[in-house]
Amino acid sequence: MSTTDPGTSVHFRLQIDGIDLGPFNTCTGLSVQVEVEQRREGGNNDFVWQLPSRITYPHVTLTRPLTPDSTRVTRFLATLPQKVKRGTAQITALRPNLSETIVQWSLRDVVVVSWTGPTFDPSRSEVATESIELAHHGFL
């Protein structure tokens, strides 16, 4: 298991179909959006009906500095050309010691849509990071 970053208060562990891809420092996109159609009722000027229609789930992106756990993601990505399928993912918010769970989200019909590796530029002093982006069809 990799060491924790003392400057981070929460880590996020990602598992897809039971495969542990390790802890990440950042998780964005955990949200639900309900589209609303507005309908005006003839003769009623007091309000406009707000009718819920579609529910959408933005992509979830997890990011971390390169660690030995990065090889787990590489191994997982190497299997995608043979079997791209929708799976189940668990994102678990952990305390800095990586053993205490704060909360867990389960996502259904998950597909990895993007992985971005580090950019190496010797003129800039930045941490090398990787990001993985997931599309999904909601929470379990």
Side-chain angles (χ1 to χ4, degrees):
M1 187 174 297
S2 64
T3 60
T4 61
D5 177 6
T8 303
S9 59
V10 177
H11 291 270
F12 301 92
R13 179 167 306 283
L14 173 61
Q15 293 181 338
I16 299 177
D17 287 338
I19 299 169
D20 185 1
L21 300 179
F24 289 78
N25 293 62
T26 305
C27 178
T28 60
L30 280 172
S31 65
V32 177
Q33 297 170 349
V34 178
E35 293 179 22
V36 176
E37 294 180 15
Q38 295 184 348
R39 299 287 180 186
R40 289 173 174 75
E41 183 177 350
N44 185 351
N45 296 326
D46 292 338
F47 66 91
V48 175
W49 289 101
Q50 304 286 331
L51 304 174
S53 62
R54 286 188 183 93
I55 297 175
T56 58
Y57 303 94
H59 291 184
V60 175
T61 303
L62 294 106
T63 306
R64 68 176 167 204
L66 290 183
T67 69
D69 289 325
S70 297
T71 58
R72 294 181 188 187
V73 174
T74 305
R75 275 188 249 123
F76 177 78
L77 294 173
T79 67
L80 290 182
Q82 290 82 35
K83 57 172 186 170
V84 174
K85 64 179 184 90
R86 294 190 176 276
T88 303
Q90 287 77 38
I91 299 173
T92 306
L94 302 167
R95 299 213 184 276
N97 65 10
L98 299 179
S99 64
E100 295 178 53
T101 298
I102 298 171
V103 66
Q104 182 175 355
W105 298 272
S106 295
L107 308 177
R108 66 182 173 91
D109 297 332
V110 171
V111 175
V112 176
V113 294
S114 174
W115 174 82
T116 305
T119 300
F120 296 108
D121 182 353
S123 67
R124 300 178 70 166
S125 178
E126 295 178 345
V127 175
T129 61
E130 68 175 330
S131 296
I132 190 166
E133 184 177 350
L134 312 172
H136 66 98
H137 285 160
F139 299 92
L140 293 174

